[in-house]
Each structure stands twice: as structure tokens, then as C-alpha cells.
């Protein structure tokens, strides 16, 4: 058990909390918030996979010079997460637009469960 | 019952993932930190042999951007970034379509709330500041952390601020033109890479010395394009959500 | 170094729990911003500076702004606290 594992647990629990929020509520805006939480958790987890104690920032600065392996944080997950964050904003915007549409046509953000599904769950 | 299920199922899923990660060989491999792939990218040795020395002033590299993440995002994984910008465009356009749709033709604008004196007085100065900082971040994307996405978001923040201070929206047509032109420029740079080098979006021309401002000129150009595109895109997104008509006057279709 | 990382994890998880449990929608939106900001600080401490800046500006700033803009445009009834 070390730092990596604790941060990984935090990231995973963020994912789990988001899943719970998605599952428990009926409010559309809350669903979007929950998906955002899951996304944050996954992003943290991905960046963490490239980290190790003593990893340096993946930028070549003045004092840096090497001919062997590079002591950087793995830059590939960082690049992936960079993409993911921006796409997250786009999808959130689209989801919010749809939520506003729903709220206007139904007058509320609450979503009612399909009667048959509700029967099964009760 | 439902609530208990809602709590138990995520717990089970997360617990299962955690179990596999922390006990087996997968976890060891996952949390080793370094990967051969990352090292190859860090040393700019994907298409050719690694250089003898990697450091400030190194010449003849595949990509001379000092920031490794920038080199990956715009060069090695440039096609993915093109897809990302496309997704952003599609999402924002979809939001606009969903909210306005046919209604735009009627020309019914959202009611304008008068902006406060503080906002009107401070907006031009704050905009100036955001504009300068945003462009600085965009143009130094190959040397320092940041780059086109946060820089473009800062530019968009400035534009939104100016919009909400002046009360009237900036011309939508100009924003769409900027979006289209920068998207086209992105693809054009990619095709130029295909023509002069081996692959789409490959860095062509002289890469320059690593660490200098004029290193990796194609990367600078691409980040500038992305910065402009992202700023137009995000301004559009906020404009779309802010200009939705007041729901109290809305009749249910 | 280690304890900073652990210190940042606390608002991350506590904020996330608060997002799904708090009753007021506006509070939930602001708390989501807090979670995003903690994630940005965590990225900073881990050394992923590019990701940290992008998360702070896009994930924390703009996403919250977009949420607030759309919250303001919701019908009055939809903004109310849900009673389920």
C-alpha cells in the first residue's frame, strides 16, 4: 500500500460515487453532474498510471540533458487526458442543451421511470 | 431497496476493479509508471533512431517542441486531436440545433438583462488582460505547459465577458467563419505534412533547435489554429446556452 | 510530497460525496467545480502540468460556467429541490 494505491482508490471511488449518483437520482442535471464526476475519476486514474515516485515534468528545460532513458512522467496518458477533458466539455454542453429541452417540455428535470421497470425494481 | 441497490452495485464494480488492480500482475504493470512507449515518445524516437543527446539546443529531432505532451498531441497523435476538435464542433453545433432549431428564423432573441456598472467598466480591461495572456499561452504551447486548449478557453472567457458586458451578442456569422477557417487550416497543415513528409500532420520543414522560441514552427502554427478554433467554439457554446429564450414566456410545443 | 498528494485526495472524494448527496442543485454545481479544482491540483502535484492547466481552465472554469448558464435558463419549477 503506497501513495499510488491511495490515489488510485480515490479515483476509483470518484468513479463509484458518480455511478451511485447516476443510479440513485431521477434528476437529469444530477445525472450530468454524476457523469462529470466519473469522468474526473477516470482522468485522475489515467494520469496516475504514468506516475512513479520522482517522476519529472515531461518538459525539457534548461538544466536537462540526457542520452539514456528519460526520467519523465509518462506523457502518453497525459496527452490522452488532455483530449478527454476538452471532449468532456463538449459532451456536457450537448447534454445540458438536451436537459433544458426536457425541462421545457415536461416542466421539470425529474425523469419518471418506465412503469414496468419500476415494478421490477420495487 | 432501490437506493440500497444503487449503492451496492457501484461498490461491487469498483471493488472488483480495485481487486484486479491491486492483487494481480495487471496492477504491477499498470502502476510501474514508465512505459517503453512513453520513453520512445519522450526521446522523439518514433520514426527514426533516438538522438545521441536530448536537451536544450538539440537539432535534427523528429519534433523539436520542448513540451513532450505537445509533441505527442500535435504531432504523433495529431489525427486524434483533429477528431477531438471535430467532436467539440459537432457537440456545440448539436447543442445549438437542439435549443434553437427552427425557432431561430423567427428572430425572437432572449431578453437582455442590463449589465451592472462594475461589469461594463471593467470588462474592456479584463478582456485585454485575458486576450494577452491567452495568446501568450497559445503561442508558448510548445515550450511551456498550456497551449491551444486552455489558451483558447481563456480567449473565449474574454469574449464571453465582453459579450455579457455590452449586452448584445457578438456576430454569430463571424464566429462560424472563424470556426470553419481554422478547421480548414488544420486539415491543410495535415495534408502539407502528408505531401512533404511521410504522414498526415507530420512535422515538415526545419524543426529548429529544441528550447528556442522558433522551434517546431508547424507545432506553433497548429496550436495557434487550435486556440482560435477552440475560442470560437466555446464562445459559441456559452452563447447558445445563454441566449435560450426565457422559459416563462415559452409555450410548450 | 506524499502528504500533499494525500491532502488533495480528501476534498476530491468528500466533494464528490457532497455532489451526489446535497439537495440544492446550485450547491451541487458549485461542488462539482470544487471537485474539478481539486483534480487540477492533484494533476499539478503529480507533475502533469498541461493536464493541470487544462483541467483548471476548461474542466473547472468553463464547465461550471456552462452549468450555471443553463441552470439560469431552466424553468422556475425545475430548479427546485427534488423530493424523492
Amino acid at each position: 500500500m503506497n501513495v499510488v494505491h491511495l490515489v488510485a482508490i480515490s479515483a476509483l471511488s470518484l468513479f463509484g460515487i458518480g455511478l451511485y449518483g447516476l443510479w440513485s437520482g431521477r434528476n437529469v442535471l444530477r445525472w450530468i453532474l454524476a457523469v462529470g464526476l466519473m469522468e474526473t475519476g477516470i482522468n485522475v486514474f489515467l494520469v496516475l498510471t504514468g506516475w512513479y515516485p520522482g517522476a519529472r515534468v515531461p518538459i525539457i528545460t534548461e538544466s536537462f540533458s540526457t542520452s539514456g532513458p528519460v526520467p519523465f512522467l509518462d506523457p502518453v496518458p497525459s496527452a490522452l487526458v488532455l483530449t478527454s477533458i476538452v471532449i468532456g466539455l463538449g459532451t456536457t454542453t450537448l447534454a445540458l442543451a438536451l436537459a433544458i429541452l426536457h425541462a421545457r417540455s415536461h416542466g421539470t428535470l425529474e425523469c419518471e421511470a418506465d412503469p414496468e421497470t419500476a415494478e421490477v425494481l420495487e | 431497496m432501490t437506493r440500497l441497490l444503487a449503492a451496492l452495485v457501484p461498490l461491487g464494480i469498483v471493488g472488483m476493479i480495485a481487486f484486479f488492480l491491486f492483487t494481480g500482475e495487471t496492477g504491477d504493470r499498470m502502476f510501474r509508471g514508465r512505459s517503453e512507449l512513453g520513453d520512445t515518445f519522450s526521446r522523439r524516437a518514433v520514426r527514426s533512431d533516438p538522438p545521441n543527446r536530448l536537451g536544450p539546443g538539440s537539432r535534427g529531432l523528429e519534433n523539436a517542441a520542448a513540451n513532450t505532451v505537445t509533441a505527442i498531441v500535435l504531432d504523433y497523435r495529431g489525427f486524434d486531436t483533429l477528431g477531438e476538435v471535430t467532436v467539440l464542433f459537432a457537440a456545440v453545433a448539436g447543442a445549438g440545433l437542439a435549443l434553437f432549431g427552427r425557432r431561430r428564423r423567427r428572430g425572437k432573441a432572449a431578453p437582455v438583462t442590463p449589465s451592472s456598472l462594475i461589469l461594463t467598466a471593467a470588462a474592456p480591461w479584463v478582456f485585454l488582460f485575458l486576450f494577452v495572456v491567452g495568446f501568450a499561452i497559445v503561442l508558448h504551447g510548445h515550450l511551456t505547459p498550456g497551449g491551444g486548449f486552455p489558451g483558447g478557453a481563456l480567449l473565449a472567457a474574454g469574449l464571453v465577458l465582453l459579450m455579457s458586458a455590452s449586452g448584445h451578442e457578438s456576430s454569430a456569422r463571424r464566429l462560424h467563419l472563424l470556426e470553419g477557417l481554422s478547421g480548414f487550416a488544420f486539415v491543410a497543415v495535415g495534408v502539407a505534412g502528408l505531401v512533404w513528409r511521410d504522414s498526415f500532420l507530420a512535422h515538415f520543414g526545419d524543426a529548429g533547435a529544441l528550447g528556442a522560441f522558433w522551434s517546431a514552427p508547424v507545432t506553433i502554427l497548429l496550436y495557434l489554429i487550435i486556440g482560435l478554433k477552440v475560442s470560437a467554439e466555446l464562445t459559441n457554446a456559452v452563447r447558445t446556452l445563454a441566449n435560450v429564450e426565457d422559459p416563462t414566456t415559452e409555450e410548450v410545443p | 510530497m506524499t502528504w500533499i498528494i494525500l491532502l488533495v485526495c480528501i476534498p476530491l472524494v468528500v466533494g464528490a460525496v457532497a455532489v451526489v448527496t446535497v439537495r440544492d442543485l446550485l450547491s451541487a454545481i458549485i461542488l462539482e467545480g470544487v471537485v474539478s479544482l481539486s483534480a487540477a491540483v492533484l494533476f499539478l502535484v503529480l507533475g502533469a502540468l498541461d493536464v493541470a492547466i487544462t483541467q483548471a481552465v476548461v474542466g473547472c472554469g468553463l464547465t461550471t460556467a456552462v452549468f450555471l448558464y443553463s441552470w439560469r435558463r431552466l424553468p422556475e419549477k425545475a430548479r427546485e429541490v427534488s423530493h424523492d
Side-chain angles (χ1 to χ4, degrees):
Chain A
M1 202 69 169
N2 47 30
V3 182
V4 172
H5 288 126
L6 279 172
V7 180
I9 287 173
S10 310
L12 280 177
S13 51
L14 219 61
F15 182 84
I17 292 164
L19 211 55
Y20 168 76
L22 205 56
W23 211 300
S24 65
R26 283 186 186 167
N27 193 311
V28 180
L29 203 79
R30 275 176 196 278
W31 289 351
I32 303 172
L33 284 170
V35 170
L37 285 182
M38 291 166 75
E39 198 186 295
T40 310
I42 292 171
N43 287 346
V44 170
F45 190 86
L46 273 179
V47 168
L48 190 74
T49 55
W51 185 80
Y52 51 94
R56 293 179 54 163
V57 176
I59 297 173
I60 297 167
T61 47
E62 291 285 320
S63 56
F64 180 86
S65 184
T66 183
S67 45
V70 188
F72 282 163
L73 175 90
D74 196 336
V76 179
S78 294
L80 286 172
V81 169
L82 207 66
T83 308
S84 151
I85 291 172
V86 179
I87 287 185
L89 177 66
T91 49
T92 304
T93 310
L94 185 58
L96 282 172
L98 295 179
I100 291 179
L101 270 193
H102 178 273
R104 280 176 164 191
S105 54
H106 294 77
T108 170
L109 279 173
E110 306 281 317
C111 247
E112 272 164 43
D114 185 41
E116 280 176 33
T117 321
E119 213 167 84
V120 173
L121 283 175
E122 282 309 320
Chain B
M1 176 62 198
T2 318
R3 194 147 281 235
L4 191 70
L5 198 72
L8 280 181
V9 170
L11 201 69
I13 292 175
V14 168
M16 221 156 65
I17 297 174
F19 177 77
F20 280 120
L21 281 182
F22 296 155
T23 56
E25 197 189 334
T26 329
D28 287 349
R29 213 178 299 150
M30 199 143 222
F31 293 118
R32 201 161 41 195
R34 293 177 211 221
S35 65
E36 235 167 83
L37 183 71
D39 204 54
T40 314
F41 279 127
S42 293
R43 300 173 71 187
R44 321 291 201 272
V46 177
R47 290 187 282 259
S48 54
D49 288 333
N52 295 327
R53 194 190 72 86
L54 186 68
S58 295
R59 287 183 166 278
L61 298 173
E62 285 176 358
N63 190 299
N67 188 339
T68 313
V69 177
T70 301
I72 293 177
V73 165
L74 290 185
D75 190 342
Y76 302 123
R77 271 187 55 231
F79 192 59
D80 209 0
T81 306
L82 178 61
E84 165 189 7
V85 176
T86 312
V87 167
L88 195 61
F89 168 73
V92 172
L97 193 70
L99 285 179
F100 288 113
R102 293 147 275 141
R103 223 168 294 143
R104 188 180 282 162
R105 245 170 272 140
R106 270 201 262 151
K108 200 163 119 197
V112 177
T113 35
S115 14
S116 74
L117 177 67
I118 297 173
L119 185 63
T120 343
W125 299 101
V126 180
F127 171 72
L128 200 67
F129 178 72
L130 285 173
F131 191 75
V132 172
V133 173
F135 263 110
I137 289 181
V138 169
L139 288 177
H140 286 86
H142 58 306
L143 298 177
T144 57
F149 295 106
L154 278 180
L155 292 178
L159 284 176
V160 167
L161 188 73
L162 215 57
M163 249 161 57
S164 53
S166 61
H168 55 83
E169 53 180 288
S170 78
S171 167
R173 181 174 283 177
R174 241 177 289 168
L175 281 179
H176 288 311
L177 190 71
L178 188 60
E179 268 177 36
L181 276 182
S182 45
F184 178 75
F186 198 118
V187 177
V189 171
V191 171
L194 194 60
V195 171
W196 279 300
R197 284 292 293 273
D198 40 4
S199 61
F200 190 71
L201 279 167
H203 194 287
F204 57 89
D206 182 26
L210 191 145
F213 179 76
W214 285 117
S215 57
V218 176
T219 303
I220 300 180
L221 185 65
L222 277 180
Y223 246 163
L224 187 64
I225 292 167
I226 288 178
L228 290 176
K229 187 161 175 68
V230 166
S231 68
E233 219 80 86
L234 296 185
T235 313
N236 226 343
V238 174
R239 199 181 61 88
T240 303
L241 285 176
N243 285 347
V244 182
E245 293 148 55
D246 200 342
T248 47
T249 60
E250 172 74 8
E251 76 280 16
V252 176
Chain C
M1 197 61 179
T2 308
W3 63 270
I4 300 179
I5 296 180
L6 297 182
L7 205 66
V8 177
C9 285
I10 295 169
L12 198 71
V13 177
V14 173
V17 171
V19 169
V20 292
T21 50
V22 80
R23 295 195 76 82
D24 187 26
L25 263 185
L26 194 59
S27 315
I29 292 172
I30 302 295
L31 279 166
E32 171 102 349
V34 172
V35 173
S36 286
L37 197 62
S38 322
V41 177
L42 186 59
F43 290 140
L44 187 72
V45 180
L46 289 178
L49 295 190
D50 284 271
V51 183
I53 289 184
T54 310
Q55 174 78 18
V57 174
V58 177
C60 176
L62 268 171
T63 306
T64 311
V66 166
F67 264 112
L68 288 178
Y69 265 118
S70 49
W71 180 82
R72 208 183 61 170
R73 288 297 174 190
L74 285 176
E76 201 69 43
K77 207 176 137 221
R79 288 188 209 164
E80 283 168 13
V81 181
S82 57
H83 301 283
D84 50 299

